[in-house]
Amino acid sequence: MTTPARLMAGGLPWAVAVQLAGESSAPLTGTGGTKAAAVQLIAGQNIVATCASAGVAAFILPPAEGSPIVTVENDGASSALVFTTGTDTINALSAGASFSVTNAKRAIFVPAKNTTAVPPTGRWIPILSA
């Protein structure tokens, strides 16, 4: 199976390369609980193995515009906070607010556009497992 890097070397945009390769991240370790300390999510399927800072860890989504669907699987013992890039939002939260994926939960983040904002901004719509 090919990798996103090989597909991008062939001229495909990042979002298309990640979607076609269907690549999962190596198990991720979060080291901080703020947006400034967040670990960048770069794969379509992201597995959180460890939430190492004060019971939480932060991760940041890519820009919503042009991105594929992103999943976060929290296999850690604590909550994973998911932030957005720039002025993007999650649901109706304000820019910079986090969405919590508690331990043993899975979340699918679907990229969308917030057309009520002027100018329109990116928005992520999460679907959280039971």
Side-chain angles (χ1 to χ4, degrees), residues 84-109:
T84 61
T85 303
T87 58
D88 286 0
T89 58
I90 298 174
N91 279 343
L93 299 172
S94 61
S98 65
F99 182 85
S100 181
V101 180
T102 55
N103 62 313
K105 298 282 184 178
R106 311 303 183 241
I108 300 170
F109 293 89

